[in-house]
Amino acid sequence: MTGIPGAAPVQGPAGRTGVGAASLRWKPPIDRSEVRSLLAYLRACVRREAVHTHAVRADSLDSDTCACLPEGPEILFSGAGETLPPHPEAARVLRLGRRRGQALRYGYPLVVLREGGNRVALPLLTVDVRVVDDIDESRREPDVPLVRAVGPPDVNTGLLTRLGITDPEDLFELRARLRSGAPDPARRPAAVADLAAKVRGLLTRLEIERVDDIDPLATRGAPRTVEGGAHNVAVVFLAGPSGQAEAEGAEPGTVEGVLADLDPSDRAGLDPDAVTGTALEPLLGQPSAGRGAGPDPADAPGRLFRGGRAAARRAARDTAEADGADDATVPVSATPLDQAQYAILRAAMSEQITVAAAPPGSGAHDLVDAIVRTAVSNGQRVLVCGRTETDIDETAARADTSPAHPVVRVGGRGHRAEEARMLTRLLAEQAGGLPASGPGSAGEDPAAHWAALAEDWARVRGAWRDMDTMASGGHALAQLAEERGRGIARGWDPDALFTPERGGPEYWLHRTERARAGGFVGFQHRGAIRRELGVSTDPDNLDRLGAVARMESEWRSAVDRRTRCAPLGELTSELADALARHRRSSAACLRSVSGPRLRRGRAAVENRLETLDWHHGNGWPGVASLLDALPAWTCRTDQVRALPPQAGLFDLVVVLGAERTRVAELLPALYRAGRAVVFGDPAHPGPTTVLEPDEERRALAAAGLAPDQLDARGLRHGSGSAMRALHRAAPAMLWLDEHDGAPPLLAGAASRHCYGGRIVVRTDPDPRCGPPFEWRDVAGSCEAVPGASFVNRDEAYRVAVVVGEVDDRLPPGRVVAVVAPTQPQVALIRRLLSRRALLHEVRVGGPELLDSDRAAADVTVLSPVLAAGAPAAAERRVRGMGHLWSSVLTRTRQRLLVVGDRGYWSGDDGPLGDLDAMVTGTCVVGADPAATVLVEELRAVGTGVVLQQTVEGWTADMVVRFGSRRLLLLLDREPDGRALRHLLARGEALNRATGDPVVVVPAWRCLADPGALVGEILAAC
């Protein structure tokens, strides 16, 4: 290959060429005022959501942020009064709220929950309150203001979230029940009809124990103890982020940090004037109209951008496109890459936005590692943002396998100490002479490593092309063979018509076309056809003869191309060798680049280390100069505030978990990079919101935005994920389409029902684990419970029994997950299992329980809740939970046990009905013409043949018995090289598991030459 970008890593910081920069697109200018309006809207939504979900630490009760009101009757929710009586205990909370600009809330009763080693306090019911002027000054003490409710009562969504109630339908119904029949909503908006009964009912529904009797007429002044449960206490507290926090003091990972980053009025916030040229541009601008159509309007003379890297990047992008550099992307990888992974990596190195679908178990973290290694080897800066700490840990674990590939972790204050330890270690290694004496030393020639890498990658791509050619040729031959067989059955045998003596199909195709002409020439050709081929020359027969000749010509050319291909075993061996060589040359290239770069940046490392020792602010000093020495960084998505707020600070940002990330959380990360690649699970519905529709509409109106304006681009808060919004900006979604982890039976069902059949399963089945799918039949009843949710009590009690059986028989060290789609069912099962002494780790929860590959379970027990006679609302809700079926089917490593109404689910067109049909053998598999012909020929010579036989957990297309010998056959109808390699891997695994010979049989030969093929098969026995 030519044009390999090998110069950039050799040149150092000043020589960054921008290879792989985002491709130039012609776009109209960004509307800065619209960007500011969007940021204002998102900030309002994020701030208000933080108010709704605010929790107070239990040790902060009776402090400046949360005051317990004195004993006496509850006022606001009971409707006994319009304002709270003046209480000195609350005065300091009100004063602090004024200074901070925080929201003031009132709540009753107080619920204490344990979260890890801490206890948090959250009122069950909440309402916004504000200070009001008292006309009668004699009624209150000096400096002790009155407060009144300014909104309707609400069920504390922060409490509901912690209890696992996140479905919008649940929240809507609970709010509607709470507010129904409220008296005098104009003067007493917070009043709740029959307050005591509703509170007790809610506590029962949420399974919260009552520490005190709930009596609104006699509230307790303060909790007697911080024991978990509901206390008959009313509180006034500050909620949400401070409105006056210093931007630079906003701690990364907090709501304040996200809000500060989204504030264009702050010098350290997102600057709408600097959006052009960053990965944020496609999200906020108009759809691209083409590539290279003209100059970028944002590059007008005199245009200034904060951080001046965006203009340089665009110039480099122009050069890269002109040179076709994006076609020469050579990956640097520590693991073997497949073609789907390479397509995403190539797009990540060239496109401004790349959206990659990453279903569970598809190897996203391995690909991210390859993207990072490729980017840093090409002299680029890259930031990896993970939705969770698990994503960050996976990234770090892969980087730790290579000493030449340090990744800097940033985030909160604790991560600064971790960064300091890493920098100290790097300096110590340099002082010890490791870089100078090891690989990557000054004596090595990086250009030679790049040349070897390019050569090895060219071999990989060459092997891919050869296998693609072989597979596509065989696939086409199988289709032609079927068509040829149908023609023979109608009396048009090409072998009889087109012989060496009479001439080939091309000769007769030419004469057939001439025979359709009029006059003497056509008469001569028609006579030759009748005389030499014995075919009538009426128009219909001439058409049939022409079609047969054309098809036979294609057939013979395809057979000739296929027979000239290298043997399949040789191609497989070449590919494996090329991938191994590429991994070795990748490691050498990375070492040759990182060693000199780190030596040149030693002063920057020392400067940053000194800054970490002495500076205790936000951690920005010294970062920019360190990026050229250490170009790979990682943090949680909500911790991007730990990095300087500079547009285009990084060349590339990689985002993991985008399906569970809101747009507002991702904007700061996109702003700091020129390109972005985001990974997410398309089966996940996205994060939900606790905002009420009126609150979100008020935020839209205040920002001057129309709902349709944001819906079209997926930017509406609470209506989808960042992945959805970015997909609108870059609609060509790429797929990671190979799954490894779950048994093939389960993962195959997930592919069919959750991912449109796009996923190929590569998991090696383990027959020692028993059947991967089982039923425990119980005909329960699906009942509605308050909150638009449902419970099946018979199922729950049977689940407890089944978990006990599994716990008794499972080998040590295994993990059991118990999953149900509704929160009441989860709570009931959890309570039943809490009474048992279990030997294994048993986790109970909803779809979010299996939210990452690390959270996968060995055995999953599923309680689907639905049964015969289930309400239509329950059926719609449970069947529509694509993320439930996806997570259960792809993150169960060994066995799935379904405890439910088998009669209800059998025959269903969903995943459970599909699995039931597969295990009972009622699944109808269409007849394969090639297999039918081969089976007839094999049985004709006296062999025994069984179709679709499972052997040691693997399925063979045919099992052939000839005397005492057994042979396993796999039918090759694969359309491309990737599918053919999967088939070969399946054959190797079958051979290892059984010890029997395994033969891959081309489908086209079954149809074209079954007799000779059977002879070869028997010779292999």
Side-chain angles (χ1 to χ4, degrees), residues 774-797:
E774 294 182 68
W775 273 102
R776 295 291 189 271
D777 195 12
V778 52
S781 174
C782 180
E783 308 170 22
V785 297
S789 199
F790 306 89
V791 69
N792 190 320
R793 303 182 192 281
D794 292 336
E795 261 186 30
Y797 285 105

Side-chain angles (χ1 to χ4, degrees), residues 656-943:
L656 289 159
E659 80 282 6
R660 289 174 287 154
T661 304
R662 288 196 174 95
V663 171
E665 298 170 336
L666 195 57
L667 295 188
L670 298 179
Y671 176 72
R672 286 168 167 81
R675 307 189 314 277
V677 53
V678 298
F679 292 87
D681 181 2
H684 197 281
T688 59
T689 180
V690 298
L691 294 183
E692 299 195 56
D694 285 345
E695 293 177 308
E696 197 259 349
R697 282 193 289 267
R698 285 196 296 271
L700 279 172
L705 296 173
D708 295 344
Q709 187 179 0
L710 299 185
D711 287 337
R713 290 186 285 175
L715 297 177
R716 193 90 172 263
H717 184 82
S719 300
S721 64
M723 182 181 181
R724 174 174 174 255
L726 287 165
H727 178 49
R728 300 286 180 90
M733 183 182 290
L734 303 177
W735 280 77
L736 285 174
D737 54 5
E738 293 188 9
H739 171 85
D740 187 10
L745 180 71
L746 303 183
S751 175
R752 291 187 294 275
H753 294 277
C754 303
Y755 302 107
R758 292 183 177 91
I759 308 304
V760 177
V761 183
R762 299 295 307 273
T763 313
D764 290 349
D766 187 353
R768 297 171 299 176
C769 299
F773 179 76
E774 294 182 68
W775 273 102
R776 295 291 189 271
D777 195 12
V778 52
S781 174
C782 180
E783 308 170 22
V785 297
S789 199
F790 306 89
V791 69
N792 190 320
R793 303 182 192 281
D794 292 336
E795 261 186 30
Y797 285 105
R798 183 64 184 276
V799 163
V801 174
V802 170
V803 170
E805 295 172 354
V806 170
D807 185 60
D808 289 339
R809 300 172 185 172
L810 206 60
R814 300 295 195 271
V815 176
V816 180
V818 184
V819 180
T822 63
Q823 185 272 339
Q825 188 78 353
V826 170
L828 177 55
I829 293 172
R830 185 179 286 123
R831 187 173 70 249
L832 294 173
L833 290 177
S834 67
R835 304 169 184 170
R836 295 173 175 263
L838 299 171
L839 303 175
H840 296 82
E841 179 187 350
V842 177
R843 296 185 276 124
V844 184
E848 72 285 348
L849 183 67
L850 305 174
D851 63 351
S852 69
D853 292 341
R854 277 195 178 186
D858 297 287
V859 177
T860 299
V861 180
L862 173 65
S863 173
V865 176
L866 297 183
E875 291 189 329
R876 174 181 52 80
R877 178 170 169 181
V878 174
R879 291 178 181 275
M881 288 184 170
H883 60 307
L884 166 70
W885 308 112
S886 168
S887 61
V888 165
L889 294 174
T890 58
R891 291 191 171 120
T892 299
R893 288 189 288 253
Q894 295 179 0
R895 189 157 50 121
L896 172 63
L897 288 90
V898 179
V899 181
D901 187 347
R902 188 171 188 175
Y904 170 83
W905 291 98
S906 295
D908 182 72
D909 58 358
L912 295 185
D914 186 1
L915 288 169
D916 185 63
M918 295 289 287
V919 298
T920 57
T922 58
C923 181
V924 178
V925 179
D928 188 297
T932 301
V933 171
L934 183 59
V935 167
E936 291 175 355
E937 287 288 333
L938 286 169
R939 287 175 176 166
V941 297
T943 65

Side-chain angles (χ1 to χ4, degrees), residues 50-67:
V51 171
H52 276 293
T53 57
H54 188 88
V56 177
R57 289 175 57 91
D59 55 13
S60 297
L61 293 175
D62 271 336
S63 69
D64 288 349
T65 58
C66 180

Side-chain angles (χ1 to χ4, degrees), residues 9-90:
V10 184
Q11 293 175 359
R16 296 176 67 229
T17 64
V19 170
S23 57
L24 178 64
R25 298 179 186 275
W26 170 252
K27 298 185 182 75
I30 295 289
D31 187 338
R32 272 74 176 178
S33 64
E34 184 177 301
V35 172
R36 292 178 186 276
S37 297
L38 174 65
L39 294 176
Y41 159 72
L42 292 176
R43 279 171 53 81
C45 291
V46 170
R47 179 180 294 278
R48 185 60 188 164
E49 196 145 38
V51 171
H52 276 293
T53 57
H54 188 88
V56 177
R57 289 175 57 91
D59 55 13
S60 297
L61 293 175
D62 271 336
S63 69
D64 288 349
T65 58
C66 180
C68 298
L69 299 182
E71 296 179 3
E74 195 283 325
I75 301 295
L76 297 185
F77 292 134
S78 65
E82 297 181 37
T83 61
L84 290 175
H87 295 298
E89 295 85 349

